[in-house]
Amino acid sequence: MLRRVVLVCSLIVIFLWCFSTPTSADHEPLGTAITGTISVSGLDNPRYVLSFPSIQRLMMDVTDGPVGMKAVRKALESTPVSIEHLLDLELLRREKDRFYLNYLLLTVDDQRIIRRVAEEAGKNLAGMFLKRRDSFEELLKQYPRRELRDELAFALVAGFALNWDGLRITTELGYRADPSERPNGDRYLVHSWERGANLPNARRFWGSHSFPGGKVVFTTFGDGPSIPRVNGMPDVFFGMADEGLAPLADNPAVSSAVRNHLIAMLKVAHVLAGDIILAIAEAPRSRTSLKAILGRDEPLLDPTVEVLLSTGYATEAGERMLPAVVILTENHQGLVDATLRLSREIISAWLRENYSRLELELDTLSPMKNGVPFKLAFSEVWHEIFGSTTMVLATEGFYSDPYAPESQFRGFIPVVWTSTLYDLF
């Protein structure tokens, strides 16, 4: 996000979160993130293009108004980036001999304004959910594991509804720009922010990390400070492996080859973990019975079981394993659909009532002053709003608080679910 997810984007993006690059604020005034899916690298990747300090300074200059050809050429002279790259990636737009900001770049003042507006908006939206609390609780009674219903409520409302479905709803209603599709099929939105706002992000549960593509999806929903989610999946598989490639940073060919190899191997482990989770969700199983159910003496079974136990996704009662986190299978389709319908009703009504006011309150943002449409900015505005909403709902006990003393997952909630339950794409 999750930076919002602030997911690290080097892994072919099977991850859905925002990807940011750690840099020095002294030399690089901007951070840049991508929300969506991206697989390209080098000059085709806006994060790479925006990684050059001189280009970052150019973008900051353009927030104050259009610049001429001379200023653009000077910013590019020590980089491999051309004017065409900036135009093709839609970072700048050209009108005659002037260049204008053409994407979402938020200054420190912009970020603080959005936060102030979003905090009030988030409280208001949270209030609408709290008014329907009894309806949500009645739906959640369908889940047989009473002790996990608060975690389930968090996953479905903070995660599926406010995060994933909220972004979908804002797009469907025409309030948020749809991520543009690139020639290779990538779909993403780019945004940058000026460093220095120093806004607290703890307890704003606006980020998700997922690894879809198989029958089972492992997801974590949480805030930025919970990263790295060392006992969350898929994080424990992919995030840790990616960070381990740091010594190969100066050898991109080897780094890419090793990363692809690791991803292929880790995907096998991920699929096996999903098979085990589904098996123990049906009934507690011993390792011997798991081997029989999976139909093979899988050499990775014991190591994968140890991962599930050590991370807290499963526990053992005697020789049998049973799940310790929320697991949603095809049997829970009705519960998921009903919860999303109720949430969608609340979110849609709130947006219709408040969107025009938000657009008016935020018309002084730098992108808006440069002719960037508000619906492009609303992606980040919505993240701030629902981030504040999730914080209020946790504080009010509407669902599990990932920072409660009894929480074993600090700052996030995990959920394992079958991919037929929700279309991530």
Side-chain angles (χ1 to χ4, degrees), residues 135-173:
S135 299
F136 282 102
E137 290 179 349
E138 192 63 30
L139 287 173
L140 293 168
K141 288 179 181 177
Q142 299 176 42
Y143 196 72
R145 300 278 302 273
R146 179 191 296 268
E147 73 278 12
L148 291 175
R149 286 176 187 165
D150 285 345
E151 286 80 358
L152 173 62
F154 182 98
L156 290 180
V157 175
F160 280 65
L162 284 165
N163 189 341
W164 293 346
D165 220 40
L167 292 171
R168 186 166 293 173
I169 293 166
T170 56
T171 301
E172 290 174 356
L173 294 178

Side-chain angles (χ1 to χ4, degrees), residues 75-118:
L76 301 179
E77 63 185 11
S78 61
T79 77
V81 181
S82 68
I83 292 175
E84 287 68 29
H85 288 125
L86 298 180
L87 297 175
D88 289 344
L89 291 172
E90 300 177 347
L91 302 175
L92 292 179
R93 73 177 185 276
R94 185 174 184 175
E95 297 180 11
K96 297 182 179 180
D97 60 345
R98 309 293 285 172
F99 293 86
Y100 292 76
L101 181 70
N102 197 49
Y103 81 111
L104 185 62
L105 191 167
L106 299 173
T107 66
V108 165
D109 286 344
D110 293 334
Q111 296 167 59
R112 290 172 177 166
I113 291 170
I114 292 175
R115 173 60 61 88
R116 174 178 53 78
V117 171

